[in-house]
Amino acid sequence: MENTRRLIEFMALLRDPAQGCPWDLKQDFASLLPYTIEEAYEVADAVEREDYDDLRDELGDLLLHVAFHSRIAEERGLFDFEQVAAAICSKLVRRHPHVFQGMVFENDEARIHHWEQSKELERSRKLEQSSDTAQKSALSGVANTLPALMFAQKLQTRAARQGFDWPGIDPVFEKVQEELRETREAFTVGSAAQIEEELGDLLFSVVNLARHLHVDAETALRAGSHKFSRRYQAMERLLQEKGKQMADCSFEEMDLCWEQAKRALSITA
């Protein structure tokens, strides 16, 4: 707790009008946001690399942003770091009655159901207190700044909780095929705007398929991107061993080398 107190004190000093840092004094919620998001991604990167020394440091950087935002809020009379901690502690107690209140669930399904009910109740209370008509929607509260795949999946999950969902997996596969056909048609006869719109619908339907398959779309695409990166780099090494550069190769040569790289990686995996 001593270092937590020091962090809060350091943040107050950095924001002090007389003695503080000019850069820190210029910041507000909006200007800090890109850096906060970047730090969250750097935490994710450290986890994926299983670099736990780096994870400790990156979590510290992210915690600094919690303290930074809290300090700005305190200066504006909104809330402070202690209230942020108190709010999450209260939420943990509400969502874990089996840990903090002695409630017993028959199975994991019942526990998860209670968790979702608790979230819905919290959301309903926020909606009741809001004067913004847009905030009354079941989709309100899903952050527009989320990565697009995550944003789509959260919207779909919210809608499904209200009963707006396909009854099974087969219609979801069919929807993906339908959107793929419409994207091809737009490519053939449509404008650039129509192509973009249809491609957006196709991606949205693929995210919906991932949700029905109980797969996180963001995680799946990241894994697929990492796989592509490994194979591409293996292909580059194979070409270098043959004394060739990518720019000097035909597509057929690169495709053959790509297949060799795939086989080599599958053997070593």
Side-chain angles (χ1 to χ4, degrees):
M1 295 299 180
E2 173 63 22
N3 285 318
T4 303
R5 183 184 60 78
R6 291 178 68 210
L7 172 61
I8 295 169
E9 290 176 352
F10 286 171
M11 199 66 253
L13 181 59
L14 288 168
R15 292 279 297 179
D16 184 89
Q19 307 177 59
C21 169
W23 186 88
D24 290 273
L25 285 165
K26 289 179 183 177
Q27 304 313 309
D28 58 21
F29 294 132
S31 67
L32 275 180
L33 193 56
Y35 303 104
T36 306
I37 293 171
E38 181 181 347
E39 294 300 347
Y41 276 112
E42 289 179 358
V43 168
D45 179 63
V47 170
E48 288 187 352
R49 291 185 287 104
E50 298 184 357
D51 186 337
Y52 300 118
D53 287 337
D54 194 33
L55 176 59
R56 176 198 58 224
D57 293 343
E58 296 299 345
L59 286 171
D61 292 344
L62 187 57
L63 180 60
L64 170 63
H65 278 261
V66 175
F68 208 150
H69 283 281
S70 299
R71 179 62 198 179
I72 294 171
E74 184 175 359
E75 292 167 0
R76 297 185 183 184
L78 301 173
F79 55 82
D80 59 18
F81 188 96
E82 179 64 25
Q83 289 171 299
V84 171
I88 189 58
C89 286
S90 296
K91 184 179 291 185
L92 288 172
V93 170
R94 288 195 305 273
R95 294 187 180 179
H96 297 82
H98 53 299
V99 176
F100 298 104
Q101 299 167 11
M103 183 178 290
V104 177
F105 294 115
E106 293 182 2
N107 49 43
D108 280 347
E109 185 178 338
R111 178 180 55 77
I112 293 170
H113 179 68
H114 176 85
W115 172 277
E116 295 298 340
Q117 278 191 323
S118 177
K119 289 172 64 176
E120 277 301 325
L121 182 59
E122 291 167 9
R123 193 175 297 118
S124 297
R125 287 172 177 168
K126 283 185 179 180
L127 294 179
E128 288 173 1
Q129 296 169 1
S130 174
S131 58
D132 186 352
T133 304
Q135 292 298 317
K136 302 293 185 181
S137 169
L139 303 182
S140 63
V142 180
N144 294 327
T145 53
L146 287 171
L149 292 179
M150 190 182 301
F151 182 54
Q153 193 155 341
K154 284 186 175 293
L155 289 175
Q156 293 166 4
T157 300
R158 288 281 186 90
R161 287 187 194 139
Q162 305 300 315
F164 189 74
D165 200 6
W166 296 104
I169 191 69
D170 288 341
V172 185
F173 276 109
E174 291 167 8
K175 186 63 176 176
V176 172
Q177 293 296 331
E178 176 190 329
E179 296 298 348
L180 181 59
R181 288 193 299 272
E182 291 180 0
T183 301
R184 179 173 286 277
E185 289 170 7
F187 170 71
T188 304
V189 298
S191 64
Q194 288 173 315
I195 293 171
E196 180 178 327
E197 180 180 352
E198 293 300 341
L199 190 57
D201 291 344
L202 174 60
L203 291 170
F204 192 83
S205 66
V206 171
V207 172
N208 202 23
L209 176 61
R211 183 177 62 85
H212 276 264
L213 293 172
H214 307 293
V215 171
D216 179 76
E218 190 79 20
T219 301
L221 181 57
R222 286 178 65 83
S225 298
H226 287 314
K227 183 196 292 183
F228 174 83
S229 180
R230 290 193 301 271
R231 289 176 176 176
Y232 189 90
Q233 291 171 23
M235 179 182 67
E236 287 178 317
R237 291 192 296 270
L238 286 172
L239 286 172
Q240 288 171 1
E241 289 170 4
K242 296 177 181 180
K244 295 184 176 182
Q245 299 293 325
M246 293 281 289
D248 302 325
C249 295
S250 66
F251 175 78
E252 289 73 17
E253 287 177 301
M254 287 188 287
D255 189 49
L256 178 61
C257 207
W258 174 265
E259 292 300 326
Q260 291 174 340
K262 283 174 61 177
R263 288 194 295 272
L265 287 173
S266 65
I267 293 171
T268 58

